Amino acid sequence: MRENLHNATASAPGTLMLMGEHAVLHGHRALCAAVDPRISVSLHPRQDRRLRVVSALGEMETDLKSLEPVPPFTFVMEAVRRSGIHRGLDLDIQSGFSAEIGFGSSAAVTVATVAALRAARGEPLDRAAIFEASREVLHAVQGRGSGADLAATTYGGIVLYRANPLEIEPFVRHLPLSAHYLGYKTPTAEVIQIIDQLWVGKETEREILFQEMDQRVAEAATALRQGDLEILARLFRAHQKLQADLGCSDETSEKLLAALEAHDGVLAAKISGSGRGDCLLALGNPSATIPGFQTYPVNMTDQGVQLDGKS
């Protein structure tokens, strides 16, 4: 009997890590925010058993019987493989932001794909189930990964997150933020490996540093709930120092951080994500720009994954 599938469309927002980078991989808490624009995945059943994916990154077509996840559609193909769907599919991916910038494109496309696959089978929008299925995809593809960005793109808003034991606490708070691209990006897995090597034989000292990060995250969550930007700025700066001590920073990062901190209206600046490239966050004065660096507006969103425009 032919599998009964329907057309389905799901979308999910981008994400930005606010605090807790690296420590979240070791059982500590992190803060991650959902941001617009979004990634949309439209799914259309076929009459054969082939998978065709179309996006701005290119096109790919393969047989479901020999489905092997390969770049640039690794997460999408793994989500399809793990869904157990046997009928062919056309997937059209539309993105409102570049995959080159660290706005959580992998997390957003994974969550949107998982949600669209579930909807094609007639399953309801179940954020907990979507998150769990997406985290399984992440671990299958990447081996390591906290899932903080998956939680933020699934639930929306700012998420206070811990991977183990799993804790997801979404709350609503909009911040005056801007993201500033350093002009290059080191893959997250590579940065993690670099940091691991830096701390070989000094794991106890690193754990103490992670515990300090965790405490700053907890204090920042309280400041966010209270809307206290001055305390949040102090905690941003304290967390940035811990990230630098960990080894996440480099010469260009330090140069841009200093320029941002000196800019009128900027309360604090820090690395967003694994570091050694990608983006820095500036808190306060969202229109702040630094010559020679690309600035991206940050529009936070309370809306996580959606099905065909429905929340």
Side-chain angles (χ1 to χ4, degrees), residues 17-21 30-31 216-217 220 232 235-236 239 270:
M17 285 292 291
L18 301 182
M19 296 177 71
E21 295 93 335
L31 286 165
R216 300 295 86 74
V217 167
L232 184 62
L235 294 166
F236 261 39
H239 195 281
K270 69 176 294 292

Side-chain angles (χ1 to χ4, degrees), residues 7-19:
N7 292 338
T9 299
S11 70
T15 57
L16 278 173
M17 285 292 291
L18 301 182
M19 296 177 71

Side-chain angles (χ1 to χ4, degrees), residues 141-156:
V141 170
Q142 201 166 289
R144 294 177 69 179
S146 70
D149 50 358
L150 295 174
T153 195
T154 299
Y155 288 92

Side-chain angles (χ1 to χ4, degrees), residues 2 33 47 49 54 103 174 207 238 245 257 269-270 276 308:
R2 180 174 293 276
Q47 298 305 311
R49 294 195 60 193
V54 178
F103 279 12
H174 289 242
E207 176 57 25
D245 291 344
L257 284 166
K270 69 176 294 292
R276 294 186 174 242
D308 200 19

Side-chain angles (χ1 to χ4, degrees), residues 176-195:
L177 293 173
S178 55
H180 304 264
Y181 185 54
L182 288 165
Y184 57 94
K185 179 178 179 180
T186 306
T188 298
E190 186 176 330
V191 178
I192 292 171
Q193 186 176 25
I194 291 170
I195 300 301

